[in-house]
Amino acid sequence: MTARAPQNPVAVLGAGSWGTALAIQFARGGRAVRLWGRDGARLAAMAQARRNERYLPSTAFPDALEIQPDLHGAVAGCRDVLLVVPSPAFRGVLTTLAPHLTPEMHVAWATKGFELASGLLPHQVAREVLGAERRIAVLSGPTFAREVGAGLPTAMTIASPDGAYAEALAAELSSANFRAYTSTDIMGVEIGGAVKNALAVGAGLSDGLGFGANTRVALITRGLKEMTRLGVALGAHAFTFMGLAGLGDLVLTCTDDQSRNRRFGLRLAAGATPEAALAEIGQSVEGYAAARAIRAVAARTGVEMPICDAVYRVLYEQMPARDAVRELMSRPLKAEVA
């Protein structure tokens, strides 16, 4: 059996593409890693092949990465537990995890998006489930799993109300080709990660309909304004949205076809129904539910978000995308900073 690093393991819960990529990156950074997922058969295949054949077939697992099919076995003795699950599953996994946590364990996540039923962000859900005393953090920013798995140069943000915890996690995740920056604005970082998904669906729709680069850059720029406006209304710092977890993640997911949200919009523009487009992509498309959640949060806070609202109407009210763009372009003229 291959030797594992014996101390200070990290448990990564969620063995999809991004969970696998982060598990690989932690192992490269020197941590012993236990990777857990719900699908026992897939985990067994990953343990046998020493790679994730479905999502990251070209990246072999480092020796320090262990597949662990038992949740308690995955987290026992860990200081850090990292959840990498879609936002609809976040509360459920946290609730299942909670009895297995000891007081000294820290919980981080790479989940993005508002909870649909409550409009809460992941850190607010975590506080409800785990209490106010536990150290928490979110990992976010402009990253694609395949490129992280391949070891290509990447930067991201780790945000926590506890700056020392963010710095410790960043140091342990960073390596020669991976740099983690830190923030204490967990609200702003999470809002950036949530809103960019819906905007990326809009970018895919726009490009799929042939509206061109001018329209795309206008959507990104004005979308950033909407993101910032909502964030400030909810207590985030405006400057957070000019960083990796705001502008960086928005540009990446709106412009590269590795983005599932962008591909979803492209498929809709080609005539697919939302259900058919989701089935074709075959992985979680966070922007679909995000558009609905953002609309509710914006209405509750009184924040105007016309682009996100147009995406919602295309997805849920069968509004033709061309009509949505026409409506956006006919809005009353105003100062750019408004």
Side-chain angles (χ1 to χ4, degrees), residues 114 116 119 194-195 198 226 230 287-317 319 327:
F114 291 98
L116 188 57
V195 175
E226 292 187 15
L230 181 64
Y288 181 59
R292 196 165 144 203
I294 291 164
R295 191 176 202 245
V297 173
R300 189 182 72 228
T301 54
V303 174
E304 189 178 36
M305 302 184 72
I307 299 174
C308 289
D309 191 63
V311 171
Y312 170 86
R313 294 170 70 189
V314 170
L315 295 181
Y316 292 99
E317 297 180 353
M319 183 181 194
E327 187 175 293

Side-chain angles (χ1 to χ4, degrees), residues 84-111:
V84 194
V85 297
S87 55
F90 185 70
R91 182 184 290 270
V93 174
L94 267 186
T95 302
T96 302
L97 170 66
H100 301 280
L101 297 174
T102 57
E104 66 273 11
M105 289 180 178
H106 312 155
V107 177
W109 52 87
T111 298

Side-chain angles (χ1 to χ4, degrees), residues 11 13 34 70-79 81 97 100-101 105:
L13 309 184
R34 301 171 188 159
D70 176 69
L71 179 60
H72 181 75
V75 304
C78 291
R79 187 198 70 188
V81 180
L97 170 66
H100 301 280
L101 297 174
M105 289 180 178

Side-chain angles (χ1 to χ4, degrees), residues 7-320:
Q7 69 272 9
N8 200 18
V10 56
V12 178
L13 309 184
S17 56
W18 190 216
T20 302
L22 285 172
I24 289 169
Q25 182 56 38
F26 266 113
R28 286 175 179 154
R31 296 288 295 274
V33 181
R34 301 171 188 159
L35 178 60
W36 173 90
R38 291 182 180 273
D39 189 330
R42 185 173 297 165
L43 289 178
M46 291 166 60
Q48 177 68 30
R50 295 297 299 161
R51 67 185 67 235
N52 189 328
E53 296 281 8
R54 178 174 180 180
Y55 295 124
L56 297 174
S58 62
T59 305
F61 291 166
D63 289 344
L65 196 162
E66 171 190 352
I67 299 298
Q68 175 53 260
D70 176 69
L71 179 60
H72 181 75
V75 304
C78 291
R79 187 198 70 188
D80 299 298
V81 180
L82 173 64
L83 279 68
V84 194
V85 297
S87 55
F90 185 70
R91 182 184 290 270
V93 174
L94 267 186
T95 302
T96 302
L97 170 66
H100 301 280
L101 297 174
T102 57
E104 66 273 11
M105 289 180 178
H106 312 155
V107 177
W109 52 87
T111 298
K112 298 178 180 179
F114 291 98
E115 185 177 56
L116 188 57
S118 67
L120 298 178
L121 288 160
H123 77 277
Q124 296 168 320
V125 175
R127 288 305 192 207
E128 281 194 355
V129 176
L130 303 179
E133 300 305 316
R134 192 172 301 277
R135 275 183 158 182
I136 59 171
V138 60
L139 284 64
S140 191
T143 49
F144 287 132
R146 182 180 59 79
E147 295 186 8
V148 171
L152 299 179
T154 298
M156 73 179 311
T157 300
I158 298 177
S160 172
D162 185 328
Y165 178 42
E167 290 170 7
L169 210 54
E172 291 164 353
L173 187 60
S174 296
S175 63
N177 285 334
F178 195 102
R179 184 172 180 84
Y181 293 83
T182 62
S183 171
T184 56
D185 185 13
I186 195 168
M187 175 74 76
V189 167
E190 289 195 331
I191 289 170
V195 175
K196 63 93 181 181
N197 286 326
L199 293 170
V201 175
L205 282 164
S206 176
D207 284 354
L209 292 170
F211 287 138
N214 290 351
T215 308
R216 185 193 316 122
V217 76
L219 185 151
I220 292 171
T221 306
R222 294 307 297 174
L224 178 64
K225 183 65 178 177
E226 292 187 15
M227 178 190 293
T228 305
R229 197 157 52 221
L230 181 64
V232 170
L234 291 173
H237 301 297
F239 59 78
T240 297
F241 301 101
M242 296 307 297
L244 290 166
L247 177 61
D249 208 1
L250 177 61
V251 170
L252 182 79
T253 198
C254 284
T255 60
D256 194 289
D257 286 347
Q258 292 180 78
S259 164
R260 296 193 293 270
N261 294 292
R262 174 178 163 79
R263 295 204 313 273
F264 178 61
L266 289 170
R267 293 304 304 139
L268 295 175
T273 64
E275 295 75 18
L278 290 169
E280 182 178 334
I281 291 169
Q283 292 178 260
S284 176
V285 178
E286 295 278 6
Y288 181 59
R292 196 165 144 203
I294 291 164
R295 191 176 202 245
V297 173
R300 189 182 72 228
T301 54
V303 174
E304 189 178 36
M305 302 184 72
I307 299 174
C308 289
D309 191 63
V311 171
Y312 170 86
R313 294 170 70 189
V314 170
L315 295 181
Y316 292 99
E317 297 180 353
Q318 293 75 52
M319 183 181 194

